Amino acid sequence: MVYYLRSINYKMSDSNIKNEISVPGNIVMSGIRPTGKLHLGNYFGAMQNYVKMQNEYQCYFMVADLHSLTTHPDTSELKDNIFRVLAENIACGLDPEKVALYCQSHLYETSELYLYLNMLAYKGELEKTATFKDKARLHPDNINAGLLTYPVLMATDILIHRASYVPVGKDQEQHLEMARNFANRFNTRYHNVFPQPKAFNFSSNLVKVPSLDGSGKMSKSENQMATVYLSDTDDEIRKKVKRAKSDQGPQTPNSEMPEEIKNLFLLLDLVSDKETSQYFLEKFNDCSIRYGDLKNQLADDMIKFISPVRQRAEELVNNENYLKKVMKEGAEKASASASATLKLVRNAMGLNYF
Ligand code: TYM
C-alpha cells in the first residue's frame, strides 16, 4: 500500500535544518508531452516501466502540457491530446488508484519552484542542451525562453516530488543530468533538500525505439509513417511494417547486420518472444532469412500487443467524466507532495519571514 502523505521533519526556527530533512528514496516521477498520439517508443521507453513500478514505489506521472507549449503554441487539439494520453496510459495498465496521474498545469506549485531553479541555471549550459539545439533548428521562428529553460521545468517536475527514479527513454538522459546538476546546486547553496534523480529502466540500459525507416527514433509528431502508434489499426500496422527499410539479405554467413536490420531485430526483441528472435537470428546468420517472413511475424506480434490497448483506450477516451475524475484526484495527490516540498525549499532558502 502506498501512502501519499509524507511526514516532513523540519522546524521553522531551526537553523541546523540540514540534519532535519530526510531525503525520501522510493519516489518515482515521469511525464509525457501531449504533442500527438503515443507510440511504441513511449511504451517501451517509459510506460512499461511506469506500470511495473506502480506496485512498489510512490509514483507521480503526469501529462506535460506546459512543456508542449514550448513548441506547440496552438492549443486547439491540446485538450483532446491530454485525454488521449491519460486514456492510453490507463489502457497500458496504469492504475490511477495506485499512482498520482495528473496534468502538469494543474500543479500550481510548479511555477514557484521553476522560478527558484531558473536562478540556478546558466544560460550557457541551457544553450548547449541537445534538445534545445534540435528544436531551435526545427522551429527557427519560435526560439522562446520557455524552450531554453525546458530542462529547468523538467527538473522542477521531478524535484517537486523529491523523486529519485525517473523512468524515461534514452533521449531524456541529458535532461536528467541537468536535473541532478540543479538539485546539487540547490543543496550546496542552501540545504540538502533534493535527492539525485536517476533515469530508470528495468533492464540495465535506457531504451531508444527506432523508427521503421532505418534512421532516427519513433516520434509523436515527426516521421509518422515510420512510427507505430498505440492507436494504429491492424491494417495500418501491417502496412507500416511491410514498408520498413530492409535490403536483399546477407550474402555471407555471420555477416555484420546493417543498421536498418538491427532495428527490425530490436523491435522483434521488444514485442516478440525470445525464441522468435533467436529463430530469425539463426536464419540471418546462415543467410536463409526472408525479410518478408520476419516482417509478417513482427506485424503479428505488434498487433497482438497493440490491439487490446487500442480497444481499451477507445472506450476510456470517450469516458470524459472518468478521466476528469482521475486528473482531479491525481492533482490533489501531487499537490500534497509539491506543497510539502515547497515548504522545505522556502525554509532552506530562508524565505520564511513570519
Ligand atoms: P516525450 O513526451 O517526448 O516522451 C515521453 C516518454 O517516452 C520516451 N520516448 C522514447 N523512448 C524510447 N524510444 C523512443 N523512440 C521514444 N520516444 C519517446 C521518452 O524518453 C519519455 O520518457 N521531456 C519529456 C516529458 C517530461 C518529463 C518530465 C519526463 C516533462 N517533464 C519529468 C520525465 C520527468 C518528453 O518530452 O517526453
Side-chain angles (χ1 to χ4, degrees), residues 29-33 39 41-42 45-46 50 62 64 67 104 150 154 157-158 166-172 175 207-209 217-218 220:
M29 192 281 143
S30 197
I32 299 180
R33 280 171 310 149
H39 50 77
N42 300 128
Y50 298 1
M62 58 96 180
H67 273 109
Q104 189 182 28
Y150 185 112
M154 185 162 152
D157 298 330
I158 298 164
V166 187
V168 282
K170 188 143 183 62
D171 58 326
Q172 300 297 316
H175 288 154
V207 177
K208 173 184 160 189
V209 177
K217 60 181 177 108
M218 290 199 183
K220 285 191 228 99

Side-chain angles (χ1 to χ4, degrees), residues 97-208:
E97 299 284 322
K98 290 184 183 159
V99 306
L101 182 57
Y102 62 100
C103 185
Q104 189 182 28
S105 62
H106 290 161
L107 193 61
Y108 306 122
E109 291 85 353
T110 301
S111 316
E112 187 180 338
L113 185 58
Y114 178 46
L115 182 84
Y116 300 147
L117 293 182
N118 266 319
M119 323 257 188
L120 298 170
Y122 301 113
K123 180 171 160 275
E125 66 185 334
L126 295 171
E127 280 171 342
K128 273 193 263 164
T129 316
T131 46
F132 173 71
K133 289 201 270 186
D134 283 351
K135 285 176 183 161
R137 206 174 342 100
L138 279 173
H139 308 270
D141 300 330
N142 186 19
I143 307 177
N144 57 75
L147 196 60
L148 184 68
T149 55
Y150 185 112
V152 186
L153 182 56
M154 185 162 152
T156 303
D157 298 330
I158 298 164
L159 299 177
I160 207 155
H161 300 300
R162 298 205 294 155
S164 296
Y165 301 105
V166 187
V168 282
K170 188 143 183 62
D171 58 326
Q172 300 297 316
E173 218 168 16
Q174 190 182 26
H175 288 154
L176 260 294
E177 192 187 323
M178 295 175 84
R180 283 192 292 279
N181 288 341
F182 302 145
N184 266 333
R185 274 176 220 161
F186 184 97
N187 289 346
T188 309
R189 183 166 300 173
Y190 301 109
H191 289 292
N192 199 23
V193 170
F194 298 118
Q196 295 283 292
K198 286 176 278 302
F200 182 85
N201 189 53
F202 267 100
S203 72
S204 54
N205 296 324
L206 298 182
V207 177
K208 173 184 160 189

